[in-house]
Amino acid sequence: MSPVLRSTIAVVVVAALAVGVTAYVTNRSTPTPGSSTNDVNVATVQVRRMNLSATEEVSGTLGYVTAPSLIDRVAGTYTSMPPEGAIVAPGESLFAVDGQPVTLLAGSLPAWRSFTPGMTDGFDVGELQRALQRDGARDANTVPVDGHYGARTIVAVRAWRARHGLPAANDLPFGSIVFMPEPVRVGRHTSEIGDPAQPGTAPYATTGTTRVVAVELDVARLGTTRAGQAVQIGLASGRTISGRVTAVGRVAHVPAGSAPDNGARPAVTVSVEPLGASPVDEPDEEPVTVGLVSATRAGVLAVPVTALLALAEGGYGVEVVTGQGRHTIIAVEPGLFADTMVEIRGQGITDATTVVTAR
């Protein structure tokens, strides 16, 4: 078989398989099973036994990890508000009401009462004590973490208030501090400076500071997608970066903006974390593509896709090089396609078989 004809046939096979159509090459020189050639001006490879993973590109949205909702507990007028996109770290002001800042402190559970002398002991007091230690108050090393709002905690609170420019006092009124486990990113404002501060409402949306891609994946296309799998993320800017599946939802739902009576199918949310060069400069809510694993095969025989030939009578084959240097066409059944490789099954095909590929 001439190198030109082999290249033409291979290209037809690859293009046809890419769109799911079987190619039938009718050129009279197209090989049939059992035919032989002695053309030595070709490239050869050995059949490999390997694990294959096929990927499927799906649509996703680049955003940020979720964070607890920010709820205002103080009535008055908003006099300060960070801009959208700002990062608020523990010890910094989330917003101000009537000129008094509401400060973020590190903690995992919400504050639910004022911190004041004589209050009953509780886990929330211990959380405040740990936050004061982390905040670096002048005498933080002397703050006990015993859940009791005693003399040493009061001293630390007064030092903390002075540190943040607040009037001297022995207490922290309810709503003056907010516990969150990590820094937060300011999202879309729902209130602005000068608006009334209404307890129980959120002045703005909050997220974490870590970028994440959310994929609403049809449950029928879930395949073998699992947490920990490596993926490739295609950004709108044209860059491709590496990522890792961090979570696969366990509850199916109809994606937002879809309606079941319009044929919408149930989906699960797949979370993907960008790795390495994180897309810090990419806009929020940017559409991206994610290559998710759709199928896997372990320990199968595989060859480059360009080794496949379309046979005149239908089906596919490979050109095998025998030990005597002769070239024989053997019919094969393709299996899983994965990137540039394809699983094959055929009589006499082993991981010691040598086949011809298109140059």
Side-chain angles (χ1 to χ4, degrees), residues 62-147:
L62 179 65
Y64 292 85
V65 295
T66 58
S69 297
L70 173 63
I71 303 298
D72 175 28
R73 303 296 183 185
V74 183
T77 300
Y78 288 118
T79 54
S80 176
M81 192 85 66
E84 294 182 2
I87 305 299
V88 181
E92 297 179 343
S93 174
L94 291 161
F95 55 88
V97 176
D98 295 345
Q100 297 301 303
V102 173
T103 306
L104 174 63
L105 288 181
S108 58
L109 296 171
W112 51 277
R113 57 178 175 169
S114 297
F115 294 96
T116 186
M119 67 185 297
T120 57
D121 296 350
F123 65 84
D124 53 339
V125 179
E127 187 168 55
L128 172 65
Q129 291 166 332
R130 284 187 291 271
L132 291 172
Q133 287 183 345
R134 286 190 290 264
D135 188 76
R138 184 170 50 190
D139 55 349
N141 292 331
T142 69
V143 180
V145 182
D146 56 6

Side-chain angles (χ1 to χ4, degrees), residues 49-345:
R49 187 171 296 279
M50 61 188 298
N51 299 333
L52 291 181
S53 293
T55 59
E56 178 182 9
E57 277 201 351
V58 295
S59 299
T61 303
L62 179 65
Y64 292 85
V65 295
T66 58
S69 297
L70 173 63
I71 303 298
D72 175 28
R73 303 296 183 185
V74 183
T77 300
Y78 288 118
T79 54
S80 176
M81 192 85 66
E84 294 182 2
I87 305 299
V88 181
E92 297 179 343
S93 174
L94 291 161
F95 55 88
V97 176
D98 295 345
Q100 297 301 303
V102 173
T103 306
L104 174 63
L105 288 181
S108 58
L109 296 171
W112 51 277
R113 57 178 175 169
S114 297
F115 294 96
T116 186
M119 67 185 297
T120 57
D121 296 350
F123 65 84
D124 53 339
V125 179
E127 187 168 55
L128 172 65
Q129 291 166 332
R130 284 187 291 271
L132 291 172
Q133 287 183 345
R134 286 190 290 264
D135 188 76
R138 184 170 50 190
D139 55 349
N141 292 331
T142 69
V143 180
V145 182
D146 56 6
H148 176 65
Y149 200 85
R152 287 191 293 171
T153 301
I154 292 172
V155 170
V157 166
R158 292 182 67 88
W160 181 86
R161 291 181 65 92
R163 179 184 178 88
H164 290 274
L166 299 173
N170 294 336
D171 63 348
L172 292 170
F174 178 55
S176 64
I177 60 172
V178 173
F179 289 119
M180 288 191 179
E182 296 178 344
V184 295
R185 179 179 178 274
V186 178
R188 183 178 63 86
H189 283 190
T190 53
S191 296
E192 301 294 343
I193 294 174
D195 287 348
Q198 300 177 342
T201 63
Y204 52 81
T206 55
T207 67
T209 59
T210 302
R211 308 264 13 208
V212 68
V213 173
V215 176
E216 297 298 322
L217 187 63
D218 188 324
V219 293
R221 301 169 65 189
L222 188 56
T224 58
T225 301
R226 298 290 183 272
Q229 289 179 345
V231 299
Q232 293 294 305
I233 303 170
L235 303 175
S237 61
R239 286 197 301 146
T240 299
I241 61 175
S242 298
R244 178 175 59 90
V245 176
T246 55
V248 179
R250 299 181 63 85
V251 178
H253 60 275
V254 176
S258 302
D261 55 359
N262 289 335
R265 296 174 56 87
V268 295
T269 301
V270 176
S271 297
V272 176
E273 175 189 7
L275 301 176
S278 182
V280 293
D281 296 330
E282 302 288 335
D284 197 7
E285 302 299 316
E286 173 185 314
V288 298
T289 59
V290 179
L292 291 177
V293 175
S294 59
T296 60
R297 297 284 191 277
V300 298
L301 297 175
V303 295
V305 173
T306 52
L308 282 182
L309 297 173
L311 302 179
E313 69 278 15
Y316 303 96
V318 291
E319 185 174 351
V320 174
V321 182
T322 68
Q324 293 74 36
R326 292 187 59 80
H327 293 219
T328 301
I329 306 300
I330 294 180
V332 296
E333 179 185 353
L336 180 68
F337 285 80
D339 197 12
T340 61
M341 303 295 289
V342 57
E343 173 191 3
I344 60 169
R345 295 179 293 273

